[in-house]
Amino acid sequence: MSTDRTCPGYAHLFDLVLRDQTESVTRKAQRKKKKDPANAKGTATAAESSPKTADQRRVGAYQPTASSAIATTAPSGFILTRPLHEAPEKQAVDFFFTNYVLIPRHPYSRRGYLECLLPLYQNTREDSLLSLATTATALVIEGGLPSTQHYRQLSRSFFGKALVKTGRAIRDPVESVKDETLMSVLLLSFYERVLATSEARQISGVHDTGAVALVKHRGKENGKSELSARLLLAVQTQVVSPALPSVAAILGGPSPFGKTSAALDSLRPDAFENAASRLTSLSARLSDLMAYANPILKNTEAFPTEDQFVEILDYCADVEAQLSTWPDSLPADWAWKTSHTFDDLPSQQRKLYVYNHRADIYHDIWVASIWNSYRGTMLMIQYLTLSTLGVMHPPPTSPYMPKIGAAISKVQGLVDDICGSVPFNLGTKTFGGPKDRYDVRYPNDGINKPSSDYRKSAAGLGGWFMVEPLKIAAKAISLREGQQDWILRQIERIQRIYTIKKPINDPTGALPSPRCPGGRG
């Protein structure tokens, strides 16, 4: 029956409670229960005697009643409940799990540690190291919203408490070999990366170094389980990926990253390997290549010999050949296809989000990220090849001259592929922080709408996943006119979305400068 009243809507996101009964129906049901006490007693007894599964236990986190909470069922069957009007840290943890941890992903793309968090977190105490590290990370992420920037200050309090407990844990012979301790150190590293990037300052990397030390201390005996193996892969990825564009690996002489990755490889169980782990192992060779090449190319006292030039070029070709086999090992559903979702937008508006009509669709946001890791590594090889030829200055008749054109062509293709992944990661979003917005459009196949899980992961992680690939792509030479400007505008867009204080669009200094002898650029 219509009463001509307007629904005021829900006052807050967390006030949304699913209600499929009117007050009248509820009262009627309650009266019926009072008339049948035996049935009510039997139901209560059954509920009390029914044992809780491991996935339904969450010690010390939330204790809501059924009438004042929302339940979110994770892919694993874990039920995350939250009371209404809860403390900021509770809301932040809920947002963190819902938008970063509990989203399904392709099993071959698992190389991070967030997918390992749930089985460790759900049975931990509220005052434990892992709980404190998780809360600090959740607060610093949600603090990226303009309306919740005060969460960043609160996150520092939890971070400080976690640091104190970390110091105790790593000195304890029992705690230091636990998966919970290693996971906590990785989360503290995640915290540092988010905060340092937002404030445009250098990442210290102390937690990455600590994670490597912990893994080596644990040894192979403490890394046989699948969870431990995944954490080991996460540490390996953590030290290899930042090494590729780092100044230390390029300008600071010998790099430890490739050797560290090889040492971690030896600790990983032989049976544990997927597409992501293979790429990480292959990419580690690039760090060794740069560590060898840069001291030679940047030596101002002695000009490299022709044998040294040839050795660097052969080394580049060898690493590239090995990396080139990686796409052949991927499952069919890792292939991407171009969407025409944005074709209906006005031309000028479409150019803001799409470059050269490329809006590629991937299996999920993590598959797209791993593809871009591959492209970034391949780009670095081409840059090093061009830098070597630039110093070498081969004559026009040299057999090495064709390498210049080939490298430039590969660079253009790789950069086009990175640009083509931007719409999938960012959609049409230009502001609003890591939360999804209903008015943001994402590419689709024209049949199925973008899923809720995909939208949440793109809103929360898409921009972060694109920062490094775009910075590497922006360093390219001989791109089409206007392409580098488009790339820099996308980096500025990420800066606005995640409220990064200072521009991150300076691509100089962090990568080897590709030179184009006798060519364009």
Side-chain angles (χ1 to χ4, degrees):
M1 180 178 70
S2 174
T3 58
D4 293 327
R5 289 182 295 178
T6 302
C7 175
Y10 298 108
H12 190 273
L13 171 66
F14 297 104
D15 287 338
L16 176 59
V17 181
L18 302 179
R19 296 174 290 193
D20 57 0
Q21 293 179 317
T22 65
E23 293 181 7
S24 175
V25 174
T26 302
R27 286 195 298 268
K28 183 177 179 181
Q30 290 173 345
R31 286 196 299 268
K32 185 176 180 181
K33 287 181 180 179
K34 288 179 181 179
K35 292 179 181 179
D36 190 5
N39 181 58
K41 183 178 179 181
T43 303
T45 304
E48 290 170 3
S49 62
S50 176
K52 291 183 178 181
T53 65
D55 279 347
Q56 291 173 322
R57 292 196 302 269
R58 175 62 184 94
V59 180
Y62 310 118
Q63 300 296 335
T65 62
S67 61
S68 65
I70 309 168
T72 303
T73 303
S76 63
F78 172 72
I79 298 178
L80 182 67
T81 56
R82 56 179 181 262
L84 306 178
H85 308 299
E86 59 195 358
E89 59 268 27
K90 302 293 187 182
Q91 293 187 18
V93 169
D94 177 88
F95 175 80
F96 178 61
F97 271 93
T98 303
N99 293 273
Y100 291 83
V101 179
L102 302 181
I103 297 176
R105 62 199 73 182
H106 197 290
Y108 281 18
S109 69
R110 292 174 180 169
R111 63 173 180 175
Y113 44 89
L114 291 184
E115 61 260 33
C116 304
L117 178 57
L118 179 58
L120 297 173
Y121 181 84
Q122 63 189 12
N123 290 316
T124 191
R125 300 188 313 275
E126 192 169 7
D127 62 344
S128 68
L129 167 58
L130 181 58
S131 181
L132 292 170
T134 301
T135 303
T137 303
L139 284 166
V140 80
I141 288 175
E142 192 159 5
L145 289 167
S147 60
T148 55
Q149 289 190 18
H150 59 285
Y151 283 14
R152 291 278 170 93
Q153 187 61 38
L154 183 58
S155 75
R156 289 182 169 89
S157 173
F158 283 91
F159 180 76
K161 295 176 183 177
L163 281 181
V164 173
K165 293 212 168 194
T166 300
R168 295 172 185 165
I170 61 177
R171 289 190 293 270
D172 186 286
V174 176
E175 295 294 322
S176 61
V177 297
K178 286 185 176 180
D179 290 338
E180 289 84 349
T181 302
L182 179 56
M183 170 62 78
S184 299
V185 172
L186 288 167
L187 285 171
L188 295 179
S189 174
F190 187 15
Y191 174 98
E192 183 191 28
R193 289 176 188 281
V194 172
L195 198 60
T197 304
S198 299
E199 297 176 352
R201 56 180 173 81
Q202 187 70 31
I203 299 171
S204 70
V206 63
H207 299 297
D208 291 341
T209 304
V212 172
L214 273 178
V215 167
K216 291 181 177 179
H217 168 68
R218 285 155 52 104
K220 200 164 187 176
E221 287 301 312
N222 292 292
K224 291 182 177 180
S225 71
E226 182 179 353
L227 181 60
S228 297
R230 291 194 184 284
L231 287 174
L232 172 57
L233 175 59
V235 174
Q236 188 179 27
T237 303
Q238 195 88 331
V239 298
V240 170
S241 298
L244 301 185
S246 71
V247 177
I250 294 165
L251 302 179
S255 166
F257 292 105
K259 294 179 180 178
T260 298
S261 181
L264 296 180
D265 252 341
S266 67
L267 295 174
R268 196 170 66 219
D270 296 334
F272 183 79
E273 185 179 74
N274 61 17
S277 67
R278 286 195 298 274
L279 179 60
T280 299
S281 298
L282 290 170
S283 298
R285 291 204 64 201
L286 178 57
S287 296
D288 292 334
L289 167 58
M290 288 183 171
Y292 171 77
N294 278 285
I296 296 174
L297 297 178
K298 298 181 181 297
N299 189 345
T300 57
E301 297 179 1
F303 192 76
T305 65
E306 184 175 351
D307 288 343
Q308 288 177 315
F309 284 131
V310 171
E311 190 167 359
I312 293 174
L313 292 173
D314 288 346
Y315 201 158
C316 287
D318 182 51
V319 176
E320 181 181 356
Q322 291 192 26
L323 272 168
S324 297
T325 65
W326 178 78
D328 298 332
S329 67
L330 300 178
D333 56 357
W334 274 47
W336 72 89
K337 58 183 177 180
T338 300
S339 164
H340 300 283
T341 305
F342 301 128
D343 287 358
D344 61 330
L345 293 177
S347 176
Q348 290 303 315
Q349 186 179 357
R350 185 170 65 248
K351 289 178 180 178
L352 295 175
Y353 313 117
V354 181
Y355 178 77
N356 203 27
H357 304 284
R358 285 280 300 272
D360 299 334
I361 305 175
Y362 294 81
H363 183 276
D364 59 35
I365 210 77
W366 289 273
V367 168
S369 170
I370 294 170
W371 266 112
N372 280 336
S373 295
Y374 165 77
R375 292 160 185 155
T377 305
M378 292 293 278
L379 276 174
M380 297 292 286
I381 295 173
Q382 306 312 317
Y383 293 169
L384 187 55
T385 299
L386 290 170
S387 294
T388 303
L389 292 169
V391 177
M392 186 179 183
H393 286 298
T397 56
S398 170
Y400 292 103
M401 284 302 291
K403 286 183 174 289
I404 298 172
I408 291 174
S409 177
K410 292 174 184 176
V411 166
Q412 182 66 71
L414 291 165
V415 172
D416 284 346
D417 288 343
I418 291 174
C419 291
S421 70
V422 170
F424 187 78
N425 283 270
L426 298 180
T428 59
K429 193 170 190 175
T430 56
F431 65 94
K435 291 186 176 180
D436 187 21
R437 295 175 57 87
Y438 73 92
D439 57 339
V440 175
R441 293 178 59 179
Y442 290 98
N444 61 75
D445 58 8
I447 301 174
N448 302 306
K449 292 183 178 180
S451 69
S452 174
D453 285 336
Y454 157 56
R455 292 183 64 94
K456 285 189 291 187
S457 61
L461 292 167
W464 294 111
F465 282 169
M466 287 305 308
V467 169
E468 287 302 328
L470 286 173
K471 287 173 66 176
I472 294 174
K475 192 65 177 174
I477 60 173
S478 305
L479 296 177
R480 297 185 194 90
E481 183 178 357
Q483 188 169 14
Q484 186 183 57
D485 291 338
W486 187 88
I487 293 170
L488 295 179
R489 286 196 297 271
Q490 302 313 304
I491 298 178
E492 291 171 354
R493 179 153 69 112
I494 294 171
Q495 175 197 344
R496 289 194 303 272
I497 293 172
Y498 296 97
T499 60
I500 298 172
K501 291 183 179 179
K502 291 177 64 178
I504 55 175
N505 61 356
D506 178 15
T508 62
L511 304 172
S513 299
R515 308 180 186 186
C516 187
R520 300 167 292 164

